């Protein structure tokens, strides 16, 4: 194909991007116009995908990490034959459209992940490439490469300025992810203008130090140069590749190309007309000539690719039936067929324990029972495995020499770990979990939010959950973090009090395929609580009556985690003084809120206004449960460095304080 023909096809992307941004009077036309030539080569010559089935398992993954350039992706999907119509493009950035301002997973077929927070799309791509390599190692057999494809990502200067790019690209090089190919849109422009005033990194040298193959100074507007770079990238199977493409932002615009003026604003009708004239594109808004449309359409090619793969899969099924069955189950995201029996057996084992155990150890105990039965579990920790207890006896670390393992040593990369887990979950075939201290959730906060936004089954394990960790002091002692997690939409946060609640949390998280879960686990040992069969069943409801009383309670104590034992001891003391006390354990407030009102009213009767919530964290969240007549024993200031027992006394997490507060609330509500 001639350079002129390719340029015409790329100009279709430019025209659609200009037109949609102009119609919306909002958006970013510059990046789509600058990267159109690269996209034309990649999507038409190399990308293995099927517009008729965007979820075909062996498709190449394409990630637009610089998600503000979303019209590039929407144009490519539309032109390639995905179910994204011209009318959808005209509704760019409008309410309930399939073309939101940034690519949103679940809104648009063909969008592999939500991008917008810069650098995280790149991190997701690393996760997908890691998942591809691991899944291939676990399932491929001689003559049957049922998992065999590339992961491609577009990134801009902003993605590489974000610190997460260092975290994930360093790990990608260490893991030798040779099927990850990243195109860097090196246009020298960001929102504030020319980046030479704030971004002068030697990017090629930086990536070479990560053990990446780097292809520098590629003309991003020369199809032959782009093809040569992609061919070179695909030949290196032991290193990820960064292709540094020199481009002009807003390519084709006579007055705004190469300037930040076209980065995040419509070009304007007059400039669009001038640009189309300069590009020799003489068509109306959103108009694509039939020959251009035909040249772009990937429907037939995609069907052929998937058909060939299905034929391979049939042979795989015949020769390796057990592997094939497990492979198909895992990529579908379903749990084993005997899951109910697995769950029943595990719960039965956990209901008889009596020893005091830290809930971080309880989590590891549960993993030990689950690991062999749920092979899709892909664990990890941000350099804290001995503290987070995220490894079990069957954990095998993934490395270039052992790519078929089930555990990732992420190093001190909390943000990168979490965003990589999102990519792994989006890829499919795995249920990722990863651990760090609760305090360091803050490093990963935006990626935690993204797992919730994208409804991904990701399990976040956070240990050292309060001032109870002691001597490490306020830098390590979480205060507001649990509240931040609980108020995140679509995230279920569990703070269990013992082995049984921890096990229920794990089982619930595995069953929850519509969103992430977070476990808040203690460093210190906690006692096992006694439960009858009904109480055991009610743990999964998020809040339940752990200790009932005869008649109407004088006060209801609500607690989570390590404070449940404190509430139980305080209840015993109060009863000895003649008070009637009900104790509610609420390991997962979000699940409790989802229960029918009749159940919630039974656990927290509306006529009992004397309520005391006890949790070693910020208190404000709990007023929704105690009301204006109740109170909360919490901590609303930073901690101190001292032994845990001294801190608990200092901040009032004592039996004496709970009893005193309860009696005061009872007296207040008696009048």
């Amino acid at each position: 194909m001639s350079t002129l023909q390719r340029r015409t096809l790329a100009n279709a992307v430019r025209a659609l991007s200009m037109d949609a941004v102009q119609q919306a009077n909002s958006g970013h036309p510059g990046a789509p116009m600058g990267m159109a030539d690269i996209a034309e080569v990649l999507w038409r010559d190399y990308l293995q995908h099927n517009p008729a089935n965007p979820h075909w398992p062996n498709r190449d993954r394409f990630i637009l990490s610089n998600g503000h350039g979303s019209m590039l992706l929407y144009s490519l999907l539309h032109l390639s034959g995905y179910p994204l119509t011209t009318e959808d493009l005209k509704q760019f950035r409008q309410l309930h459209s399939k073309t939101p301002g940034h690519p949103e997973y679940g809104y648009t077929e063909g969008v592999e992940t939500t991008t917008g927070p810069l650098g995280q799309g790149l991190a997701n791509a690393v996760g997908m490439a890691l998942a591809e390599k691991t899944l291939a190692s676990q399932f491929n057999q001689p003559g049957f490469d049922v998992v065999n494809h590339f992961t491609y990502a577009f990134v801009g200067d902003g993605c590489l300025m974000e610190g997460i790019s260092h975290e994930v690209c360093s790990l990608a090089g260490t893991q030798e992810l040779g099927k990850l190919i990243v195109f860097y849109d090196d246009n020298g422009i960001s929102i504030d203008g020319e980046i030479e005033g704030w971004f002068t990194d030697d990017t090629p040298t930086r990536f070479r130090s990560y053990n990446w193959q780097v292809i520098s100074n590629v003309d991003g507007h020369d199809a032959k140069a782009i093809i040569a770079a992609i061919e070179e990238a695909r030949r290196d199977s032991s290193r990820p590749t960064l292709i540094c493409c020199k481009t002009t932002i807003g390519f084709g615009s006579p007055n705004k190309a190469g300037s930040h003026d076209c980065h995040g604003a419509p070009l304007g009708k007059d400039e669009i007309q001038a640009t189309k004239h300069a590009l020799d594109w003489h068509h109306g808004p959103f108009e694509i000539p039939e020959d251009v449309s035909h040249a772009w359409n990937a429907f037939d090619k995609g069907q052929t690719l998937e058909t060939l793969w299905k034929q391979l899969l049939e042979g795989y099924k015949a020769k390796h039936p057990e592997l094939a069955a497990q492979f198909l189950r895992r990529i579908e995201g379903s749990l084993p067929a005997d899951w109910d029996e697995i769950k029943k057996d595990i719960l039965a084992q956990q209901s008889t324990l009596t020893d005091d155990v830290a809930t971080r150890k309880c989590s590891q105990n549960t993993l030990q029972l689950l690991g062999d039965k749920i092979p899709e579990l892909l664990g990890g920790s941000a350099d804290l495995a001995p503290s987070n207890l995220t490894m079990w006896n069957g954990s095998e670390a993934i490395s270039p020499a052992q790519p078929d393992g089930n555990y990732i040593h992420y190093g001190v990369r909390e943000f990168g770990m979490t965003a990589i887990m999102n990519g792994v979950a989006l890829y499919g075939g795995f249920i990722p979990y990863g651990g760090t201290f609760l305090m360091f959730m803050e490093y990963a906060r935006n990626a935690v939010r993204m797992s919730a936004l994208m409804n991904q089954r990701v399990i976040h394990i956070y240990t050292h959950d309060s001032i109870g960790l002691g001597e490490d002091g306020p830098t390590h002692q979480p205060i507001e973090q649990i509240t931040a997690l609980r108020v995140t939409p679509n995230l279920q946060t569990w703070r269990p009090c013992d082995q049984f609640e921890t096990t229920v949390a794990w089982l619930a998280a595995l069953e929850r395929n519509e969103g992430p879960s977070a476990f808040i686990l203690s460093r210190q040992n906690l006692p096992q609580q006694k439960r009858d069969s009904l109480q055991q069943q009610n743990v999964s409801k998020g809040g339940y009556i752990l200790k009932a009383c005869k008649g109407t309670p004088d006060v209801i104590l609500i607690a989570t985690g390590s404070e449940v034992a404190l509430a139980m001891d305080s209840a015993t003391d109060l009863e000895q003084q003649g008070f009637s006390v009900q104790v509610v354990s609420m390991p997962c407030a979000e699940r409790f809120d989802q229960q029918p009102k009749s159940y919630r009213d039974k656990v927290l009767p509306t006529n009992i206004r004397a309520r005391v919530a006890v949790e070693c964290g910020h208190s404000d969240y709990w007023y929704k449960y105690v009301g204006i007549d109740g109170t909360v024993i919490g901590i609303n200031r930073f901690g101190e460095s001292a032994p845990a027992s001294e801190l608990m006394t200092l901040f009032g997490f004592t039996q004496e304080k709970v009893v005193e507060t309860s009696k005061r609330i009872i007296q207040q509500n008696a009048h």
Side-chain angles (χ1 to χ4, degrees), residues 511-531:
E511 290 178 335
R512 186 172 190 253
N513 60 10
E514 71 277 7
S517 303
F519 302 159
I520 314 300
L521 306 174
S522 74
R523 177 192 187 188
Q524 69 271 33
N525 289 342
L526 304 177
Q528 307 299 322
Q529 301 297 331
K530 294 181 179 180
R531 299 174 184 83

Side-chain angles (χ1 to χ4, degrees), residues 17 190 228 256-257 275 333 403 423 474 478 587 602 648:
S17 299
S190 64
K256 296 186 178 182
T275 302
K602 183 177 180 180
M648 291 300 182

Side-chain angles (χ1 to χ4, degrees), residues 19 37 43 87 93 153 195 217 233 238 334 349 368 391 393 401 424 456 460 473 527 546 548 550 578 604 625 665:
D19 291 340
D37 295 306
W43 275 64
E87 188 58 33
R93 290 190 163 223
I195 61 170
N217 296 312
S238 64
S334 58
Q349 293 181 60
Q368 195 62 47
M391 300 187 80
N393 289 347
V424 169
Q456 292 304 297
H460 307 286
L546 178 60
K550 294 181 180 179
L604 296 175
Y625 298 111
I665 291 297

Side-chain angles (χ1 to χ4, degrees), residues 214-441:
V214 177
I215 305 171
S216 303
N217 296 312
V218 175
D219 184 344
H221 303 298
D222 181 344
K224 291 182 180 179
I226 297 164
I227 290 170
I230 295 174
E231 290 292 335
E232 185 178 352
R234 288 163 63 99
R235 283 194 295 268
D236 193 329
S237 61
S238 64
R239 293 181 297 173
T241 298
L242 181 72
I243 302 176
C244 300
C245 298
K246 292 291 185 179
T247 65
T248 300
I249 190 170
F251 181 91
S253 172
N255 299 302
K256 296 186 178 182
S259 164
H260 71 282
D261 290 341
C262 64
H263 181 281
L267 295 182
K269 292 182 180 180
D270 291 343
E271 187 66 14
I272 288 177
Q273 184 176 354
T275 302
K276 289 183 177 180
H277 179 76
L279 294 172
D280 197 24
W281 184 267
H282 306 293
H283 309 286
F286 300 99
E287 182 183 341
I288 302 297
E290 186 175 345
D291 60 334
V292 172
S293 180
H294 177 75
W296 264 107
N297 194 285
F299 194 93
D300 291 342
K301 180 182 176 182
Q303 290 279 62
T304 299
L305 286 169
E306 184 172 357
T307 298
L308 290 172
W309 179 79
K310 285 181 175 178
Q311 292 171 357
L312 180 71
L313 183 64
E314 288 304 312
Y316 183 68
K317 289 179 182 178
K319 193 162 186 178
H320 306 282
E322 292 184 3
L323 272 178
Q326 186 185 142
F327 172 70
L328 292 172
R329 176 187 70 78
R330 284 175 54 173
I331 63 174
E332 289 168 0
S334 58
L335 293 171
D338 60 346
W339 171 246
D340 288 341
E341 287 301 314
I342 292 172
K343 186 166 65 168
K344 181 179 178 181
D345 290 345
I346 289 175
L347 287 173
Q349 293 181 60
Q350 303 292 17
S351 63
T352 59
L353 299 180
T354 57
D355 295 340
D356 290 5
V357 183
T359 50
R360 61 172 175 166
K361 179 61 177 176
C362 295
S363 173
Q364 186 182 50
N365 291 342
T366 306
L367 268 173
Q368 195 62 47
L369 297 173
L370 284 168
D372 288 331
K373 300 175 178 63
I374 313 295
E376 56 264 46
L377 280 171
L378 186 61
S381 179
D383 200 49
L384 288 168
S387 293
N388 297 150
L389 302 184
T390 44
M391 300 187 80
W392 57 286
N393 289 347
S395 292
E396 296 183 357
I398 291 173
S399 69
Q402 184 174 279
D404 62 342
N406 59 6
Y407 193 88
I408 303 166
H409 288 291
Y410 287 101
V412 187
R413 300 182 177 100
E414 296 87 355
F415 194 6
M417 172 184 72
T418 308
I420 286 173
M421 288 198 298
N422 291 343
V424 169
L426 287 159
Y427 182 88
F430 296 98
I431 301 175
Y433 70 89
T436 187
F437 290 174
L438 176 57
M439 186 66 247
F440 303 135
M441 176 278 295

